[in-house]
């Protein structure tokens, strides 16, 4: 996996914001690699940038990364691009893949085994969007860095 921690290379409004990017080869190991990248990124956000990140945000970010990269690996051939960006009070997880088909959450079905990843993601994120790209698509999820209403920092480790 090629990854790099970047600062300020996102949108103009994100100048100076902590960011990490990785190109994943799409093999079986890329899901675990993506989770490690997300955990390492948020750990650096805490330690090097002094930003509060709750333990819950750490766990949810790894879960969302895992689910989105798993879906990209399952439905698209070739590489997967992962971008992580701290934007205001959220961590933005963006996953690009080459498949142009947009994901759709399936209707709830307690008898269905598996295929609940997108449902899980939608249940835990603050915002979710999918963008069609010239090639493929980009799935973006935003997760609150702090817990509770108003950004309660009680469960934050620095």
């Amino acid at each position: 996996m090629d990854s790099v921690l970047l600062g300020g290379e996102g949108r103009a409004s994100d100048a100076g914001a902590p960011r990490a990017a990785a190109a994943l080869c799409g093999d079986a190991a890329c899901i675990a690699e993506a989770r490690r990248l997300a955990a390492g990124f948020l750990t650096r956000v805490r330690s090097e940038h002094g930003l509060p990140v709750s333990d819950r945000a750490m766990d949810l970010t790894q879960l969302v990364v895992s689910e989105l990269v798993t879906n990209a690996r399952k439905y698209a051939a070739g590489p997967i691009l992962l971008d992580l960006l701290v934007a205001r009070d959220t961590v933005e997880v963006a996953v690009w893949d080459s498949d142009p088909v947009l994901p759709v959450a399936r209707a709830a079905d307690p008898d269905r085994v598996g295929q609940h990843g997108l449902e899980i993601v939608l249940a835990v994120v603050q915002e979710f969007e999918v963008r069609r790209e010239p090639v493929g698509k980009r799935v973006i999820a935003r997760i609150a860095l702090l817990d509770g209403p108003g950004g309660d920092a009680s469960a934050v480790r620095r």
Side-chain angles (χ1 to χ4, degrees):
M1 171 178 61
D2 298 321
S3 66
V4 61
L5 179 64
L6 305 169
E9 294 187 21
R11 298 173 298 264
S13 62
D14 299 322
R19 182 175 179 188
L24 307 167
C25 63
D27 66 6
C30 77
I31 299 162
E33 291 176 36
R35 287 176 61 90
R36 279 191 297 276
L37 174 70
F41 171 69
L42 288 179
T43 298
R44 289 189 303 273
V45 164
R46 282 177 175 164
S47 64
E48 295 174 13
H49 296 275
L51 297 174
V53 177
S54 73
D55 292 341
R56 182 175 187 273
M58 179 74 78
D59 293 342
L60 289 180
T61 299
Q62 291 177 77
L63 172 66
V64 168
V65 164
S66 181
E67 293 297 337
L68 295 181
V69 171
T70 296
N71 285 350
R73 183 175 180 270
K74 183 175 180 179
Y75 297 108
I80 299 163
L81 303 178
L82 171 65
D83 282 305
L84 301 165
L85 170 72
V86 171
R88 292 171 293 287
D89 58 351
T90 65
V91 59
E92 180 179 290
V93 175
V95 175
W96 173 90
D97 67 57
S98 62
D99 185 7
V101 177
L102 303 182
V104 177
R106 297 178 65 176
D109 179 357
D111 295 325
R112 184 176 71 233
V113 176
Q115 298 185 338
H116 296 281
L118 191 53
E119 292 174 64
I120 292 167
V121 168
L122 292 172
V124 301
V125 301
Q126 302 302 113
E127 296 177 33
F128 181 82
E129 68 180 282
V130 180
R131 296 179 187 162
R132 235 181 253 287
E133 299 277 326
V135 174
K137 67 183 167 298
R138 187 172 309 272
V139 178
I140 302 165
R142 292 177 188 88
I143 302 150
L145 290 173
L146 300 177
D147 298 341
D152 176 16
S154 61
V156 174
R157 213 178 334 137
R158 289 185 192 226

